[in-house]
Amino acid sequence: MSRRVVAAALATALGLVLVIWGWLIQGWEYVPGLLLQVGTTLGLAAPLIVLTRMIEERVRRTEKRVADVSAQVRETQDRLDNIGEVTREGLLNRQHRRLALLREASRTPTAERLEVLLRELTAINSIDAGGVRVRLPGTTRWLRFTTTGSDGGVRVVREQRDGKPVVTVDWPDGGAIGVVARGLECPDAQFEAACRVLVDTLAAALSAEVGETELKLGRVIEVPNEQWVISSDGLRCTQRYVHISVDQLLDSHQDWRSHMLTKPWVNHEMFKDAYRTASELLAARRRSD
């Protein structure tokens, strides 16, 4: 028997003893007062008993709801853990597939491989939606690579420094490099080399986007040299955190060119070339917008 039951029984017995004792002392005169006290007690005790039971019932319901919610939370957490594991595996598999595709495209550039890479890197905002540019070595000509839409393949545009198009050639899936090169009026070997530079550019953009490098490159348009990157939001350095925004590039009151040339770590020729290209390209782009 619990202590509470024993204590209640003793209190009840003591109360009866006191009632009987009082009756014995006062006789029948004690009865009206006793009845008044009993009635008052019952009048107060009955609502308290009902209220206590209602509270106990609500507490039990609340505890049941809390238990149900806890079970649902645990179930949801288990599902999220499973989804998270699947998502991580999916991301890793996708990244491995991209790296494998980059290696294959570097060995043998094809329209199919380049198209997949351009589409995927555009989707994750790693490269500019307008395509990626590559400068033909030793020339003042650029090639811009974009996807052609739902038909498949890659569109290659020969451009001037400021992005003005000169010749456009569509490179369909399965198309030969030589045919595209002749359409662009450049040697086959030079065009193939440009494709490999494109793959290197895509690899650098992907590496920055997935966090393999400390510095963000934005949505890459062109990598003019090993120290600088032209992105949709300006000129960025690949070695230090330096970002010259489009507004700063195009503001005639801000001479970032002279300022950066005072830095001892800046390669002057690389910076001047990248700065000129970025300024002309992004200025023309802003005018067209």
Side-chain angles (χ1 to χ4, degrees):
M1 186 178 298
S2 66
R3 292 182 179 180
R4 292 182 179 180
V5 175
V6 172
L10 290 175
T12 302
L14 179 60
L16 291 174
V17 170
L18 292 175
V19 169
I20 295 172
W21 191 5
W23 186 18
L24 293 175
I25 294 175
Q26 294 186 3
W28 288 104
E29 296 178 358
Y30 180 69
V31 174
L34 176 63
L35 293 176
L36 177 62
Q37 293 178 5
V38 171
T40 303
T41 302
L42 291 175
L44 295 174
L48 289 175
I49 292 172
V50 173
L51 182 60
T52 301
R53 290 183 177 177
M54 290 175 61
I55 293 174
E56 291 177 348
E57 182 64 23
R58 290 189 178 183
V59 169
R60 284 194 293 271
R61 290 178 182 176
T62 302
E63 290 177 345
K64 185 176 183 302
R65 289 176 182 174
V66 170
D68 292 341
V69 171
S70 299
Q72 292 176 1
V73 169
R74 288 193 296 271
E75 183 180 355
T76 302
Q77 185 63 48
D78 291 339
R79 290 180 179 177
L80 289 175
D81 290 341
N82 292 333
I83 292 173
E85 186 65 28
V86 171
T87 301
R88 285 192 293 272
E89 290 180 0
L91 290 174
L92 287 174
N93 290 337
R94 181 172 295 180
Q95 182 66 1
H96 290 157
R97 183 174 61 82
R98 288 171 179 158
L99 293 176
L101 191 57
L102 284 167
R103 289 192 295 269
E104 293 171 359
S106 182
R107 285 196 302 269
T108 308
T110 64
E112 295 91 336
R113 292 167 180 169
L114 295 179
E115 178 193 7
V116 172
L117 289 168
L118 289 168
R119 287 188 185 280
E120 291 203 6
L121 269 64
T122 301
I124 63 174
N125 292 322
S126 181
I127 60 175
D128 186 69
V132 177
R133 298 201 334 162
V134 173
R135 186 173 184 172
L136 288 171
T139 71
T140 56
R141 296 185 296 176
W142 281 258
L143 298 180
R144 183 185 294 270
F145 293 81
T146 62
T147 55
T148 59
S150 58
D151 295 337
V154 176
R155 177 162 294 159
V156 188
V157 182
R158 202 180 87 208
E159 297 181 346
Q160 297 177 357
R161 187 187 293 269
D162 62 359
K164 183 178 180 180
V166 178
V167 178
T168 299
V169 178
D170 283 344
W171 185 6
D173 292 344
I177 282 183
V179 175
V180 182
R182 285 191 292 274
L184 296 169
E185 301 176 358
C186 67
D188 294 3
Q190 190 179 49
F191 177 68
E192 188 169 351
C195 291
R196 291 194 170 91
V197 174
L198 169 67
V199 174
D200 292 339
T201 302
L202 296 177
L206 178 61
S207 179
E209 182 64 29
V210 300
E212 293 180 356
T213 59
E214 295 182 0
L215 301 176
K216 293 296 184 181
L217 301 181
R219 289 177 294 186
V220 175
I221 299 176
E222 179 185 343
V223 180
N225 52 63
E226 63 186 30
Q227 199 170 52
W228 299 97
V229 170
I230 302 172
S231 62
S232 59
D233 59 0
L235 186 62
R236 292 174 177 263
C237 183
T238 62
Q239 300 171 350
R240 302 183 181 219
Y241 182 74
V242 177
H243 175 208
I244 307 175
S245 68
V246 179
D247 290 336
Q248 292 170 328
L249 280 170
L250 305 183
D251 188 348
S252 60
H253 297 92
Q254 299 188 43
D255 190 0
W256 277 89
R257 183 178 181 277
S258 298
H259 172 71
M260 292 305 301
L261 291 176
T262 64
K263 305 297 181 182
W265 54 270
V266 172
N267 182 300
H268 288 200
E269 295 305 317
M270 287 184 179
F271 176 75
K272 287 188 288 186
D273 180 66
Y275 187 86
R276 178 188 172 189
T277 302
S279 299
E280 293 187 18
L281 179 63
L282 296 176
R285 180 170 180 166
R286 175 163 290 188
R287 287 193 299 269
S288 65
D289 292 340

